[in-house]
Amino acid sequence: MSEDDGKKTLGVRRGGPGNVKQSFSHGRTKNVVVETKRKRVMVPKPGGGSQTKPGAGLVAGDPSKRPAGISDAEMERRMKALQQAKAREAEDAVKREAEEKARAESRARRREEAEAKDREERAREEALKAKKDEDARKVREAEEAAKRAAAPAEAPAAPAALRGPGKLTAAPRREADNDRDNKRNKNRGNDDGRRSGKLTLNQALSGGEGGRQRSMAAMKRKQERQRQKAMGGAVEREKVVRDVQLPEVIVVSELANRMAERVADVVKSLMTNGIMATQTQTIDADTAELIIEEFGHKVVRVSDSDVEDVITEIEDAPENLEARPPVITVMGHVDHGKTSLLDAIRNARVVAGEAGGITQHIGAYQVEQNGKQLTFLDTPGHAAFTSMRARGAQVTDIVILVVAADDAVMPQTIEAINHAKAANVPMIVAINKIDRPAANADKVRTDLLQHEVIVEKMSGEVQDVEVSAINGTGLDQLLEAISLQSELLELKANPNRAARGAVIEAQLDVGRGPVATVLVETGTLKQGDIFVVGEQWGKVRALVNDQGERVKEAGPSVPVEVLGLNGTPEAGDVLNVTETEAQAREIAEYRGQAAKDKRAAAGAATTLEQLMANAKADESMTELPIVVKADVQGSAEAISQAMDKIGNEEVRVRVLHSGVGAITESDIGLAEASGAPVFGFNVRANATARNVANQKGVEIRYYSVIYDLVDDVKAAASGLLSAEIKENFIGYANIKDVFKVSNVGKVAGCLVTEGVARRSAGVRLLRDNVVIHEGTLKTLKRFKDEVPEVQSGQECGMAFENYDDIRANDVIEIFEREEVERTLS
């Protein structure tokens, strides 16, 4: 029904009194009185408006009709705002009109492009259809010609005169029937299996075989094959037979990837053979071999250890070898002057930076002598660093055996001799401290005879030189002996090949990540090389030489720090450069899994009798568990080995965990669970770890000399606890900036963040939670005044005694020492 239903609309007669006559069905009418209102029109009074703007004169010119409390200036501002709003509306309308026009043009352009594309598609389809119809027509004509030739001749066609104008002849009728059949077949889609028209519900339910229709993807593939066939291209690709490398176990998706087959086809083949496996499941080698042969490929069986074949040793041709610098390792007993002798050769000051005046890391340095480079390795002499000395002897060409003239042959001297003999490297004996009053060089030569080291002065072949690291006596003769020995060795290497080197030392640097000190043995290590080292791998992000400078490459016999590892390697691991990242990752994963399996097998290979014996021994054995964190891998290894030697049949020391880097919250958690103290060797705990340790009551002890650590553990294990010097940390300060002050040197502008800073207390400089320097303060100033102490939250200036290597963001640790009585809980 419409809204009016044939009725007249209500209206008011002109000039009338406002009556409306309504008409109803069956002739009924009704008069209705309608009230009408007129629109009020405001007309300005003559002379009341001045030169005001239109529309503003009514209100602004007539104060009586203006809202109460509105002045002329306010009214003027309001009218201006109204006009500006109207102007903005006009601008917005113009802008909207322009945008609408642009959108309309864009829609029209897209529509035209779509129509052009559709026209091209239709033209291409019509061309293909015409070509197909032409081929079908030629086939039909050939068939009809054959039929006509085989038809009997006694059936002549009716004369043309007998055929009436309104009758169809036989041939046109037959052609019409053929055209009708062709159209029917085309509509059915029998010629190419293509759908025509819309797919109805009845066709989907009843059409085809079992109600199934060809998918659109299948239709497109068929059309593509037909198009390629029409253009004369190859329809089916020839099967490519591949050599598939097959390990002991393989994931189904990886197997399909290596065969270059679809994962669905591989899963279907597995199911056909009675194996229900998805693409993420693992199958054994025999099953995978069956599937590979079924797809027509060749099987190449490989073992897990074959991944390391890419780094097999290659013999270099003699014409490719070039002379390389010799690698000299300085070995000897502790405190016999090894590092001081090396300092004298380098004109450096390394001893001052070593805690307690002893070397606790392997240092690698290069020295130029008469235009030739010499590479020196400085090894520790303490008994705990046996493995470090062994590594130094393995990668060296010449060993300098340092023996103090006033101390003669000592235990670590004998150990160094044994390492050199085991590595089969020549030795040069440097009899040091010849300037001492108690020096006796002949006694040293005589003592060496007991260990089958016969020097030249005793009619032997081993060169010996009397030197003094303090006065510089005999250094030239020592360098000449090194040059002579290196010339006899004729050291050569091929720099133009993939690099191989040995890890001298490894550490975890907070700012730079895992860092390995590597001595390149052959080849050239370049920035960007991909390498594998032990169970770790990485890409060379940066190379740093012994002077702290970044270099682009390092040749044979050059020690460098390598950055870019994914983890901290073990000291002594071999670094090999690989071609691809996948090779390096695969080798590292294989080595890691092999090491894990080896550890598991070692733990599981225990008989029942051994378990019973161990349980009985543990009942009477008292253990002292400890957690060790050190600054470098070699120190952690040396401390763990020293701890294993402490103890007897009643007590022993057990290292729960040893690692590299700052003490973290997880270390405190492990120590709390087992009631063990945490030993930090040249490292510190971060702020979170310190807070957790205070809450849990875990003791953290810091050491910078291995003697003190070993002695403390021995005393704790034996129960002979004497008074110790305990350090109380009273404050921490952060260096905000560094200033140079005349007559003073470098002064650190600091903010005391915890506790208090005292002039009389000891200080340590920490960089990334690693101890850089330990000493005393030269000055502590607040503004321009020297003060005894500075409270937390205040700024101050600090300068170290005889030390200037301070940087912004370093942390100053303030501590006091006191003697306390120790008790073993």
Side-chain angles (χ1 to χ4, degrees), residues 627-641:
V627 176
V628 177
K629 293 300 286 289
D631 54 345
V632 294
Q633 189 73 39
S635 298
E637 180 185 9
I639 293 170
S640 298
Q641 292 175 353

Side-chain angles (χ1 to χ4, degrees), residues 361-381:
H361 311 134
I362 289 186
Y365 316 99
Q366 275 201 313
V367 177
E368 187 172 347
Q369 176 69 17
N370 297 330
K372 295 182 180 180
Q373 292 287 339
L374 304 176
T375 300
F376 284 91
L377 300 182
D378 184 16
T379 62

Side-chain angles (χ1 to χ4, degrees), residues 153-214:
E154 61 267 19
L162 298 177
R163 290 197 295 265
K167 297 180 180 180
L168 292 174
T169 61
R173 187 184 300 114
R174 190 163 51 248
E175 290 178 2
D177 293 341
N178 290 336
D179 291 341
R180 190 162 52 253
D181 293 340
N182 289 336
K183 287 182 180 179
R184 188 182 301 113
N185 291 336
K186 182 178 179 182
N187 291 334
R188 289 178 184 171
N190 292 335
D191 57 344
D192 58 355
R194 199 181 333 180
R195 289 177 183 164
S196 61
K198 295 182 178 179
L199 177 65
T200 64
L201 186 60
N202 292 332
Q203 290 175 352
L205 294 175
S206 61
E209 299 176 0
R212 296 191 62 177
Q213 295 284 337
R214 295 175 67 88

Side-chain angles (χ1 to χ4, degrees), residues 613-682:
N614 292 338
K616 189 173 182 180
D618 290 340
E619 289 180 1
S620 58
M621 177 72 70
T622 303
E623 279 188 348
L624 174 62
I626 62 171
V627 176
V628 177
K629 293 300 286 289
D631 54 345
V632 294
Q633 189 73 39
S635 298
E637 180 185 9
I639 293 170
S640 298
Q641 292 175 353
M643 296 300 104
D644 292 339
K645 297 177 182 178
I646 297 175
N648 51 23
E649 64 276 0
E650 297 180 1
V651 65
R652 67 181 177 187
V653 178
R654 182 185 174 196
V655 179
L656 297 175
H657 170 68
S658 66
V660 176
I663 300 171
T664 61
E665 188 178 355
S666 60
D667 300 324
I668 303 299
L670 176 62
E672 185 215 355
S674 54
V678 180
F679 292 91
F681 186 74
N682 274 338

